[in-house]
Amino acid sequence: MNEPSKRHIVVISGATALADRVVAAIPETGFVVAADGGLDRALAAGIEPDVLIGDLDSVSDDALAWAREHALVVAHSADKDLTDTELALSFAADRVPDRITLVGGGDRLDHSIAAIGALGAPMLAGVARLDGWWDGQHLEVLHAPRRRVQRVQVESILSLLALHGRCAGVSITGARWTLDRADLEAGVGHGISNLALVDAIGVAVEAGVLTLFDDPLPEEGIHQG
């Protein structure tokens, strides 16, 4: 087994089994943090997290026993202000990684909104790259001021959303409908359902926290199975 690198930390959360495509996108040498019951989803997919964190109310007895033998267990009281996902992201941010990837999914809309919303927390603003896979859909979160060139499938659907409040100075190139320093109001669908014309699109935001939903090209250095 390769030594895990804390430069890229993967947080696994939620109550949904991990799709093969998502498992394949997790780096073989990444440092993996499981948020409570996310440990069961990780183990079922053949991923062995380095850390289990949360109030431990949804993790199975078998998975918890595994964690106590093979991982660091960081237990919190159920009387907490943060969700397990937020605790896991905070733990990851404290390690000052270059990238944090949130992986998960679930059948509760409130949990899904809170989990994706957690990537907009100010404590994560200094992380060079924030992305996620939620219910099999990929997303990138850009804390302004930030500019990124993203490799995507040609003719795939792209959506830009201001999920964390108003965004200013939003630009996108390489798409059918370009934007040049546009403003996006919170939750408004002006940036939804664009089309990638090339395999490298440019996205920028000057103020706010912008979320890009995309269909990325596979990256090097990930699981191949």
Side-chain angles (χ1 to χ4, degrees):
M1 181 177 178
N2 294 324
E3 183 69 20
S5 170
K6 294 182 182 178
R7 305 320 306 161
H8 184 179
I9 299 181
V10 177
V11 172
I12 298 180
S13 182
T16 301
L18 305 183
D20 291 343
R21 183 189 184 195
V22 175
V23 174
I26 296 175
E28 293 180 347
T29 58
F31 188 85
V32 180
V33 179
D36 210 329
L39 176 61
D40 286 276
R41 260 53 71 192
L43 294 176
I47 299 167
E48 297 185 349
D50 303 282
V51 179
L52 168 64
I53 189 168
D55 59 15
L56 311 183
D57 68 340
S58 59
V59 64
S60 70
D61 291 341
D62 288 345
L64 182 57
W66 178 91
R68 286 175 170 154
E69 183 176 352
H70 299 286
L72 171 66
V73 178
V74 183
H76 288 260
S77 168
D79 297 323
K80 61 189 191 316
D81 294 327
L82 301 179
T83 67
D84 293 324
T85 299
E86 289 172 324
L87 290 172
L89 289 172
S90 177
F91 182 95
D94 286 345
R95 274 70 197 161
V96 196
D98 297 320
R99 179 179 177 183
I100 295 176
T101 300
L102 174 64
V103 173
D107 56 4
R108 282 189 55 177
L109 182 58
D110 54 344
H111 282 188
S112 295
I113 291 173
I116 295 173
L119 289 173
M123 67 180 176
L124 301 177
V127 180
R129 184 176 178 190
L130 294 169
D131 73 320
W133 292 89
W134 200 260
D135 284 328
Q137 172 71 59
H138 186 257
L139 59 128
E140 297 272 344
V141 176
L142 286 72
H143 287 247
R146 191 63 56 89
R147 183 180 303 274
R148 175 166 176 77
V149 175
Q150 178 72 351
R151 300 267 296 166
V152 299
Q153 305 284 347
V154 177
E155 297 188 349
S156 62
I157 299 298
L158 310 167
S159 289
L160 294 175
L161 284 171
L163 297 179
H164 304 86
R166 185 176 184 271
C167 290
V170 175
S171 300
I172 184 169
T173 58
R176 180 176 180 183
W177 294 284
T178 60
L179 292 175
D180 183 16
R181 303 185 66 194
D183 294 339
L184 295 182
E185 299 299 329
V188 174
H190 178 63
I192 281 183
S193 294
N194 210 330
L195 185 71
L197 299 181
V198 294
D199 65 4
I201 62 164
V203 179
V205 57
E206 296 177 358
V209 179
L210 181 69
T211 301
L212 164 69
F213 292 87
D214 66 353
D215 186 6
L217 291 173
E219 299 178 51
E220 296 180 0
I222 59 174
H223 285 286
Q224 300 299 315

